[in-house]
Amino acid sequence: MDWSPIWISMRTASVSIMITFFLGIFAAWLVVSLRSETIRTILDGILTLPLVLPPTVAGFFLLYLFGVKRPLGQFFLEYFSVKIAFSWGATVLAAVTMSFPLMYRSARGALEQVDENLVYAARTLGMSEWEIFRKVRIANAVPGIVSGGVLAFARGLGEFGATAMIAGNIAGKTRTLPMAVYSEVAAGNMERAYGYVAIIVVIAFLSVVLMNFAGARADKKRI
């Protein structure tokens, strides 16, 4: 069995969740803080769009933007000498794009559930907005945020369609576990495909168990 897809998938999922986690929380806080319902609705629709689009369509847009001869692709290539399309970075880009809405929606729901009376009380005590955000809003939204992290990590680990479009299926470079399963099935190597599927299931299950355990501990500390 080729072990490179496992390494590539774990690297991709780990890096993408670090980006998606903080980006999702920031976007959720930004949307929740908006006073205009119209702007909030429009922005929410844009941020949630990758969740409802077919992954291949999302990958098409990424390829359109980050292709070698496309605006952003040319910019990174000319100024940073970085080729994004069909590189390992493209697997991270695809995973972040497809997992971001799950993190954002979960974080937004959790932040909206925070009792505003706690926020008002913190302001009367002289706490800054940053302290309120960190010690009141985030502290009380931890279970929902952790759940979002679980979903985002699992989504990044299992990303296939967008990855195929923007990163391709290059052995040892962009071939993630889902891509490896597809390749082995297409080649008729069912035993290898079974092995990759089993690894994906075990990793996903352990991730959910560990993160749910962390969320439960955080919930107990609040009580």
Side-chain angles (χ1 to χ4, degrees):
M1 177 184 289
D2 181 8
W3 294 94
S4 63
I6 303 171
W7 168 240
I8 293 171
S9 286
M10 292 304 297
R11 281 179 63 202
T12 299
S14 299
V15 173
S16 67
I17 188 58
M18 286 190 288
I19 297 171
T20 304
F21 185 80
F22 294 104
L23 195 61
I25 292 175
F26 174 76
W29 171 77
L30 180 64
V31 172
V32 170
S33 301
L34 290 173
R35 295 183 179 181
S36 173
E37 187 65 31
T38 302
I39 297 177
R40 183 187 303 175
T41 301
I42 294 173
L43 186 57
D44 179 75
I46 294 173
L47 296 176
T48 309
L49 192 59
L51 185 64
V52 296
L53 282 176
T56 50
V57 175
F60 172 82
F61 283 118
L62 290 176
L63 187 61
Y64 183 83
L65 292 172
F66 293 95
V68 176
K69 295 184 179 180
R70 296 300 177 179
L72 291 177
Q74 285 185 334
F75 174 79
F76 280 99
L77 190 59
E78 289 181 10
Y79 292 95
F80 301 100
S81 298
V82 175
K83 180 186 175 185
I84 295 179
F86 303 104
S87 67
W88 174 75
T91 66
V92 175
L93 179 62
V96 169
T97 301
M98 299 309 299
S99 62
F100 169 81
L102 293 173
M103 185 66 222
Y104 157 70
R105 298 291 298 186
S106 298
R108 179 185 173 182
L111 290 174
E112 287 178 336
Q113 293 299 316
V114 175
D115 190 353
E116 285 298 316
N117 289 324
L118 296 176
V119 176
Y120 297 146
R123 284 177 181 152
T124 60
L125 293 174
M127 295 177 66
S128 66
E129 290 300 318
W130 167 244
E131 288 179 317
I132 293 173
F133 175 75
R134 183 167 54 91
K135 296 181 179 180
V136 179
R137 294 189 185 276
I138 294 296
N140 285 276
V142 166
I145 291 174
V146 170
S147 297
V150 172
L151 294 174
F153 180 84
R155 185 67 182 85
L157 184 68
E159 170 48 36
F160 177 81
T163 302
M165 293 293 291
I166 185 68
N169 186 16
I170 306 171
K173 187 176 182 181
T174 65
R175 181 173 292 175
T176 58
L177 279 169
M179 298 298 296
V181 172
Y182 174 81
S183 298
E184 298 300 343
V185 171
N189 300 323
M190 297 305 294
E191 289 188 5
R192 287 189 177 184
Y194 294 149
Y196 286 133
V197 168
I199 292 171
I200 292 175
V201 172
V202 169
I203 294 174
F205 178 74
L206 289 177
S207 299
V208 170
V209 170
L210 290 174
M211 289 191 177
N212 281 344
F213 177 73
R217 289 192 62 184
D219 210 13
K220 287 182 179 179
K221 287 182 179 180
R222 289 173 55 206
I223 297 174

